[in-house]
Every structure is written in structure tokens, then in C-alpha cells.
Amino acid sequence: MGPPWQMDWKLKAQAVRDSLPEHVRKIVDAARAELVTAKDPYFRGVDADLDLPDGMKVEPVQSSEPKGAHVILFDSGHGWMIYTFIPRFADPQLIVEEVFWQ
């Protein structure tokens, strides 16, 4: 299995995304597009996220859990999405757990 990955949003994360100003929603949508088309949604390896657009970066939420939740920082760190990747054989997908922008 490979990209494009399915993506699901927790209701609270979707509500936050929908309440953001339009220009920020476009940035969130761009970050989403990067995640669903990434060969490895966890961007594992040294400098694996170099292909991300300027202002975006991916890292694990906890360095001790490299297969756990990850965060994609966007808008040069002014916002983020916390997500997990479930690599099921039949239907792998990303789940957005939290969206924040300031």
C-alpha cells in the first residue's frame, strides 16, 4: 500500500479547522495534501522532511515513540496538526487528532 493515504479527522479537530480564517484553512489543506501524498507519513530518517514546503516540518510528539503521534508544523510554527498513522494492511489511514493556529 502507498499514497495517497486516507485521512480522517476527529470531530473537534475538524471543527477547529472549519473555524479558522480562510487563508489559514488553505495552509492547513496544503499541510494535509503533503501528508496524504507522502511516501512515509512519519517522514522517518535524517532530513526526510526536506521536500516539505518552506514553513512546514514534521516531528514525533514524543521522541521516545517514533511510531506514535506526530506533529506537522505549518505557517512557520504558528500552527500545527497532530496526527497518527495507522498502517493497516487493508485500509491504512491518517487520523488528525488536533489542529491549532495562533
Side-chain angles (χ1 to χ4, degrees):
M1 300 297 296
W5 307 108
Q6 299 295 319
M7 181 177 269
D8 197 10
W9 297 71
K10 289 198 173 183
L11 292 176
K12 186 176 178 183
Q14 182 69 50
V16 169
R17 182 238 173 245
D18 293 345
S19 70
L20 294 171
E22 183 177 348
H23 74 284
V24 179
R25 283 195 310 266
K26 288 181 181 180
I27 298 170
V28 171
D29 292 344
R32 177 202 174 276
E34 292 295 331
L35 291 175
V36 299
T37 60
K39 182 177 177 181
D40 177 1
Y42 279 160
F43 296 87
R44 289 175 279 227
V46 176
D47 296 330
D49 60 357
L50 284 179
D51 292 335
L52 287 173
D54 288 341
M56 287 189 197
K57 182 177 174 136
V58 173
E59 54 191 44
V61 172
Q62 292 182 329
S63 62
S64 61
E65 292 188 41
K67 293 183 180 180
H70 274 58
V71 59
I72 183 165
L73 303 165
F74 57 86
D75 196 17
S76 299
H78 292 282
W80 66 76
M81 289 188 337
I82 295 176
Y83 67 95
T84 55
F85 178 61
I86 302 173
R88 295 183 294 232
F89 177 74
D91 186 24
Q93 76 177 52
L94 296 156
I95 300 173
V96 177
E97 298 177 10
E98 181 181 330
V99 177
F100 178 82
W101 182 78
Q102 60 181 354

